[in-house]
Amino acid sequence: MPAQLSPQEVARNMTRALEWTSNGSAITRTFKFADFAAALDFVNNVGAAAEKANHHPDIVIRWNKVTLTLSTHSEGGLTALDFELASTLDRLALGKANN
């Protein structure tokens, strides 16, 4: 398992995770879709990507919005895995998200 990132490393990674916000121990992004079906389709694709990466986000679905939160719980905060998965999820949402 990768080591927890320092605050400086988190800040550096956040420059590439533009639509994600950080609270120090996790990063979060909300994606907006046309409707519930599109949001659910995205969540199913997130699940497949998370299984492939063996790294799983917390997921909240509210009709046409999906909020994902990433943190490496076993390390007590953010690691490179979180930013790698965030990048994968951003690419997954391209063309599907309305925000």
Side-chain angles (χ1 to χ4, degrees), residues 6-7 12 21 30 32 48 52 59 81 94 98:
S6 70
R12 189 170 37 251
T21 58
T30 298
K32 185 177 179 183
K52 184 176 180 182
I59 302 171
L81 286 176
L94 283 176
N98 292 331

Side-chain angles (χ1 to χ4, degrees), residues 2-35:
Q4 185 175 348
L5 299 174
S6 70
Q8 295 82 7
E9 291 169 317
V10 169
R12 189 170 37 251
N13 278 281
M14 288 302 295
T15 64
R16 292 186 302 269
L18 299 178
E19 296 189 49
W20 293 80
T21 58
S22 173
N23 69 6
S25 63
I27 56 174
T28 301
R29 180 175 174 190
T30 298
F31 298 85
K32 185 177 179 183
F33 299 90
D35 55 27

Side-chain angles (χ1 to χ4, degrees), residues 9-93:
E9 291 169 317
V10 169
R12 189 170 37 251
N13 278 281
M14 288 302 295
T15 64
R16 292 186 302 269
L18 299 178
E19 296 189 49
W20 293 80
T21 58
S22 173
N23 69 6
S25 63
I27 56 174
T28 301
R29 180 175 174 190
T30 298
F31 298 85
K32 185 177 179 183
F33 299 90
D35 55 27
F36 180 76
L40 191 56
D41 182 54
F42 176 67
V43 168
N44 287 328
N45 290 325
V46 167
E51 281 296 304
K52 184 176 180 182
N54 194 29
H55 192 59
H56 305 90
D58 293 336
I59 302 171
V60 175
I61 304 171
R62 297 202 183 267
W63 188 61
N64 70 334
K65 293 178 185 163
V66 176
T67 300
L68 303 175
T69 301
L70 295 167
S71 182
T72 305
H73 302 291
S74 62
E75 296 301 314
L78 292 165
T79 69
L81 286 176
D82 300 302
F83 289 97
E84 290 167 13
L85 186 56
S87 178
T88 297
L89 300 176
D90 286 343
R91 287 190 305 273
L92 185 64

